[in-house]
Every structure is written in C-alpha cells, then in structure tokens.
Amino acid sequence: MIRAASAAGPLFDAAGFVGRLSSLLPARRPLPLHEPSFAGREWEYLKDCLDSGWVSSAGRHVEEFEAMLAQRLGVRHAVAVVNGTAALHVALLLAGVRPGDEVLVPALTFVATANAVSHCGAIPHFVDSAAATLGLDPGKLDAHLGAVAELRADGPYNRLSGRRIAAIVPMHVFGHPVAMDPLADVARRWRLPIVEDAAEALGSLYHGRPAGGFGRLASLSFNGNKIVTTGGGGAIATDDGDLAAAARHLTTTGKLPHAWAFDHDRVAFNYRMPNLNAALGRAQLERLDELIDAKRRLAEHYRQGLSDLDDLAVVSEPANTRSIYWLNAVLVPDASARDDVLAQAHAAGLLVRPAWTPMHRLPMYRDCPRSSLATAEMLAARIVCLPSSAALAPAKPAS
Ligand SMILES: *Cc1c(COP(=O)(O)O)cnc(C)c1O
C-alpha cells in the first residue's frame, strides 16, 4: 500500500507539505491528533447511571456494551475491563502465557503490547513488520522461527534462549489489518495461539471479517484517543465460552458467586469496567458506523489532497481489507524529513506525531530477543501521523 518514495535526500520540502496539510484542514489551531466525538446518547446514558446509582463495576450498561461489542466483532463473548493493557494482560494469561515464556510481538507497536507480556512475567520477542500492512509480517516471522525455534511437545522453543515461545500477538497498526490468513497458517504450523491486539482496529475488516475476531482471544481499547471511547476502558473478546468465563472470574478478584460471602479461589485482578464507562461506550458504539464513515472520508480527502506531492507516500488500507483509518499517516523519505515535518507542523499548530519508538529501542526492552527489524526501523523513521479526528472529515456528498 506504500508507494516507494522517490530519491530520498535532504531536500524534502517539509514546508510545502505542512502548507498543503494545513490547507486540507479546518482553520482551528492547535489541531490535535485525535479528539473524541460525543454527539449521540452519551449524556442520556451517563445521567441514567447517576439517577439509578449504578456507577460501578456492575450494571445494565456493562452488559449491553459487552453484547453490542461481541456482535460487532462477530464473536460470542466480550468482557469489558478497565483498559486495553489489562485486557491484553488477561488475554495472554488465558492463552497460556507463563512466567519465563517468550511472546512474539511486533517491534512497531504501542508500548502496551510489550508491557502486557511483561505483566505476565514473560519476555517480548520482537519481530518485523510488513511495509504493505505496517503490522506483523507472517513470512518473515515464519523464516525467523525456522532459524531460531524448534518444535517440542509443548510448543516451539527458542534455541538461543532455551525459553518456550507461548503466543503471537499481531497488532493492527492505525486500523490496518495484519495479513491474518498467512499468519494463521504460520501459527498453526508452529502450534502457537494468536492473541490479537485489536486496540486500534475496532470496525476494520479483513476479507470481510472483523479484526478482533480472528485470534483465540483479542483485546480492545476504549482509551480517549481510540475510535470509540469509554474514557478509559478495554475488552477481551473470544468465541470460547470457557475462556470468557475465566476472563470474567480473573478480572473480578476471583470472587465466587454468592449472595453475601466474600470467597475468592485465586489471586486475581480488579479489572472490570465500571457502569459509568460502559454507558459512555454504549452510546459511542451506537455511532461506530457513522464514525468509521467519517474517518474513511477523511482518509480519502488526504489521499486526494496529498498524493501528487513528491517524495511522499500516503498510507492506505491493504488489499482485501476495509480499514477504519484510526490514524491517517504518510511516509516521508527519512528520519530527518520526519523531524522537519514534526517541528514545522507543530509550529503551525498541527499536532502531528511520529510512529512509536520501536520497542527494542526502549531501555527496558533493549536486551529482548528479536529478529531482524529492518522494515520496522524503516517505517518508524518515516511515518508521520496526521490529525485524524472524525470531525475533520469533509461533509458527505449530497445523495
Ligand atoms: C491504545 C492501545 C492499547 C491499550 O491501551 P490502554 O491505554 O491500556 O487502553 C494497546 N495496544 C495498542 C496498540 C494501542 O494502541
């Protein structure tokens, strides 16, 4: 999906790009990267929580939110929790990740993906990205496993570290789905469960099927900057009733159901989403199609407005996918062009952002196992994320 930038060099016209970007956007400055939109029944549902006294970690909005979410993801169960990191933490535990295991995660991701692995006492093992999706590259993953791993009775082991490899965590970067069919094939052959980090991709489709519905488990985030927000929040999604029940138990202090007794059968977490947050999320989910439509119109607006610029590639959805374009992004020729753009855009009140620093560059993850990360490094050096709030979309053409 990324056209190769032509001759890279110091001559990238950052001022020209920032001027063009500015001309494509409303006049308000500063213009944040992403703002939530509350134009539905948010007030009504929140007021219902206050009026009824149901504000905490039980209530009808939680149940309704979970049901709507499961339906949207095409899975049987969704368990709402306090944030996306907690969701991924519990999903990994339920997928069988144990202390001392390694978990395959992309180097190019938000730090929460790697942190959730660490919260299990496991070690992230960083793998490379595909330029076509920005997400985990199944072919390179397979070649890397072939080079470093051996299959034993309880799964693949990293021959270099001696540790078991317990799971694969694809992350759908900016809403663009990872190539899930080839990844599922690699996972099957290496007998590894897939746990999707679908935090950025609620509503995205791969071959017509929702992101977040492919893994044994998936995690979602409803942080304030995501397409649907609950203030802070997350969810675990799965088709498996036993895993869903275990997710509820593990996120509700391991409490045994009883009318009055406080009995708990394991060390567990207090991770359930409060009713207040679910009320907000329910109103947001009711508007998901409208929000996706706006984001896709904004992506098209950027594509049309930027694609004639030299040395610039506009990131677009991979083949056979329908992306929600959670964040719009462009690739500039190199890191120095990126830094020029970041500085000049911020000076102009356009709060564009780079991609995340790749995980293996962070001090706590520097010594983790990894494959070659050439594409992740290339992408991190060149990505600039553009203002992507749904409210920035041009008006719908009259029908
Ligand atoms: C937002 C996000 C999360 C979860 O973040 P929380 O703030 O904990 O909800 C996880 N992974 C990725 C890739 C994200 O973008």
Side-chain angles (χ1 to χ4, degrees):
M1 67 174 161
I2 294 154
R3 290 177 296 118
S6 46
L11 297 176
F12 180 72
D13 182 8
F17 168 68
V18 172
R20 178 72 69 86
L21 182 63
S22 187
S23 76
L24 295 171
L25 290 165
R28 178 166 63 95
R29 300 288 179 271
L31 205 56
L33 185 74
H34 201 284
E35 289 178 302
S37 150
F38 302 119
R41 302 176 73 178
E42 285 86 353
W43 271 117
E44 179 190 333
Y45 292 158
L46 284 170
K47 185 169 185 309
D48 171 71
C49 293
L50 300 182
D51 290 346
S52 68
W54 287 88
V55 295
S56 198
S57 52
R60 71 186 183 99
H61 293 297
V62 175
E63 284 161 34
E64 187 61 30
F65 180 66
E66 289 178 339
M68 288 175 76
L69 186 63
Q71 199 213 3
R72 185 75 206 201
L73 296 170
V75 297
R76 291 198 187 86
H77 309 278
V79 178
V81 297
V82 289
N83 60 54
T85 312
L88 189 54
H89 177 194
V90 169
L92 289 168
L93 291 174
L94 294 175
V97 174
R98 298 285 167 263
D101 286 344
E102 294 180 6
V103 176
L104 298 159
V105 303
L108 189 65
T109 187
F110 177 56
V111 72
T113 317
N115 284 346
V117 172
S118 300
H119 295 334
C120 298
I123 294 109
H125 182 146
F126 299 118
V127 291
D128 208 3
S129 311
T133 66
L134 310 182
L136 206 148
D137 185 324
K140 285 190 205 151
L141 172 63
D142 196 27
H144 177 63
L145 287 171
V148 305
E150 70 184 36
L151 211 42
R152 296 191 200 156
D154 57 343
Y157 276 73
N158 180 345
R159 279 191 274 103
L160 306 176
S161 66
R163 291 188 289 247
R164 188 176 79 110
I165 301 174
I168 307 176
V169 184
M171 195 283 272
H172 309 294
V173 179
F174 308 152
H176 306 309
V178 167
M180 292 307 292
D181 284 343
L183 185 67
D185 183 56
V186 174
R188 203 162 28 242
R189 281 187 290 105
W190 288 96
R191 300 209 304 266
L192 285 165
I194 292 176
V195 178
E196 278 178 273
D197 181 347
E200 305 186 354
L202 175 61
S204 289
L205 303 176
Y206 173 81
H207 285 285
R209 285 179 55 198
F214 287 89
R216 182 177 299 175
L217 297 128
S219 60
L220 280 298
S221 168
F222 310 107
N223 189 17
N225 65 354
K226 298 301 200 286
I227 187 163
V228 157
T229 186
T230 59
I236 301 153
T238 183
D239 246 349
D240 183 318
D242 293 337
L243 289 177
R248 278 179 208 289
H249 189 59
L250 197 51
T251 55
T252 318
T253 66
K255 186 178 181 304
L256 300 171
H258 191 277
W260 55 81
F262 291 108
D263 277 315
H264 307 258
D265 64 358
R266 56 175 297 166
V267 178
F269 304 97
N270 177 16
Y271 273 178
R272 291 310 304 280
M273 177 185 282
N275 201 43
L276 264 176
N277 301 74
L280 192 62
R282 188 181 164 194
Q284 290 264 285
L285 264 190
E286 288 174 351
R287 298 177 49 235
L288 179 56
D289 285 322
E290 174 199 324
L291 294 168
I292 293 172
D293 194 55
K295 281 178 160 291
R296 290 183 59 83
R297 270 185 284 125
L298 179 61
E300 180 59 18
H301 180 61
Y302 277 135
R303 196 190 60 76
Q304 287 182 12
L306 298 172
S307 55
D308 65 308
L309 293 182
D310 288 337
D311 299 329
L312 187 90
V314 180
V315 173
S316 60
E317 62 195 356
N320 301 313
T321 72
R322 188 171 189 276
S323 175
I324 61 164
Y325 287 90
W326 172 58
L327 290 184
N328 285 280
V330 293
L331 297 190
V332 296
D334 54 31
S336 101
R338 175 200 63 191
D339 293 343
D340 287 350
V341 166
L342 291 167
Q344 295 192 35
H346 276 250
L350 298 170
L351 306 187
V352 303
R353 302 287 293 269
W356 314 277
T357 298
M359 296 300 102
H360 63 292
R361 300 268 169 218
L362 300 178
M364 62 286 196
Y365 293 129
R366 201 167 13 220
D367 298 324
C368 290
R370 61 187 198 232
S371 71
S372 155
L373 298 171
T375 303
E377 295 268 14
M378 177 278 284
L379 291 169
R382 295 176 55 192
I383 286 173
V384 177
C385 295
L386 310 181
S388 295
S389 308
L392 300 178
K396 237 187 227 179
S399 55

